[in-house]
Amino acid sequence: MENHLKKMPSPLLSLVPILVLVALLFVTIRTFGSDALSGGSQVVLLTTTAVASLLAMIFCKVKWRDIEEAICKNILGVATAIIILLLIGALSGSWMISGIVPTLIYYGMQIIHPSFFLASCCVICAVVSVMTGSSWTTIATIGIALMGIGEAQGFATGWVAGAIISGAYFGDKISPLSDTTVLASSVTHTPLFSHIRYMMLTTIPSMVITLIIFTIAGFTHTSNASGQIAEFAASLNESFNISLWLLIVPVVTGILIAKKVPSLITLFISTAMAGVFAIFFQPHLLQEVAGASVADASSLFKGLFMTFYGSTQIDTGNEALNSLVATRGMAGMMNTIWLIICAMCFGGSMTASGMLESLTSVFLRFMKRRVGMVASTVCSGLFLNIVTADQYISIILTGNMFKDIYKKKGYESRLLSRTTEDSVTVTSVLVPWNTCGMTQATILGVATLTYLPYCFFNLISPLMSITMAAIGFKIKQHHEEDQSIIVN
């Protein structure tokens, strides 16, 4: 009964909150620098939420109750992701103090040759992400270890993070265990494995180009870090009890993921196992974390719990290594969680007001031909990643917005599902205030804008999607009455 009172905002009015967001973020980042994520960016998002809500109530006759419901729905939608973030914080702390990550770094520095490190890093993360179906889990586990190896070999953090993220999102994109892959196929009503097979046509070429770039970069890497590697290895060996037995934890974690055990359960079990191994292999470190003079049951308990939830700093005798093995636990994820909640507030206000729908309708004007249709979908997906700050919302909105249009024009649903993944899943990590961008920057300790230029797979994938549309390779068009013959 109340919908007839609501006015659809014009694209110009809908653009106002976006301009305010961009302007305030620019000033905030210039003012606070890397500390902008400690509160400044969150205040910006809440401010733009207020602007969008005010415009909606004044010009669009939207009731505050509707805006509030949309915000609550958005926050509820990322509740699981927030819990996963907390567990990842606990996991990263326990995997470090237990010696799992130091063991991976210790052996990895001796196995992976610097010339092939970036390409190897990308491939390793791709394989792990395909098996796990999660870029977040891959980056939070093996990604942290590879960051340590890369720094020890003298690579810039942006290059290493770019290789890790490129590989992790390759696997996240094509793994049948990935929630984004399942979501994109289900929203567009495309059979899962048909969706995955069709994505290979853009994903494989993008990955090949990415590996070529990383291989060339590896061979042109002139830093002689052999002395630093030896120093790191010696310091790790002195500070931690390095043992192959510690690798049982990542192996068990991989098995749990392969068995499709839910992420929350897998992360909890992996964290708990790492805690047990820390007690047996690194009691001296738990004592140091607890600040106790004696390694008794009380100090071990205190040190273990502090590893899960708080910051830890181990003195290895090597200043560079000290920062590498430092952890922040669950508490280190709070700024990210705070930002995610604020981003969901902004996305909710934009959705409830109709401003999001108004802005995305602009892209529909460029859909007269196949290339324009795919390019509009790519631009819309990227735009939604920026505006809603969440890849799941962006996938749902992109799929629902273009589904009927693709069908009416006689294109297979798998073209839409592929384009959605090419534009949303891989670019979410490139947006500083997006949940993915914030999470990976927090986990790796590298600012989003620092690693962005080196995430070649993520940058190439949307362009590859448009290129394939221009070529027309494996893109079939049918009349609407012939939809039954479309091959999935």
Side-chain angles (χ1 to χ4, degrees), residues 4 62 86 91 102 261 266 318 426 446 463 465:
H4 69 283
V62 179
L86 289 173
L91 180 141
V261 177
T266 299
N318 184 309
V426 298
V446 182
L463 300 177
S465 193

Side-chain angles (χ1 to χ4, degrees), residues 119 122-123 166 170 200-216 456-457 460-461 464:
C122 188
V123 171
S166 292
F170 168 87
M200 294 295 186
L201 299 177
T202 56
T203 305
I204 296 299
S206 299
M207 192 58 167
V208 169
I209 296 173
T210 298
L211 290 176
I212 291 173
I213 295 173
F214 282 132
T215 301
I216 294 173
F456 299 110
F457 175 77
I460 294 171
S461 289
M464 186 62 67

Side-chain angles (χ1 to χ4, degrees), residues 242-266:
I242 303 296
S243 172
L244 291 175
W245 289 107
L246 291 166
L247 301 184
I248 291 175
V249 178
V251 169
V252 171
T253 302
I255 293 174
L256 290 174
I257 296 169
K259 293 290 185 180
K260 299 183 180 181
V261 177
S263 298
L264 288 174
I265 298 176
T266 299

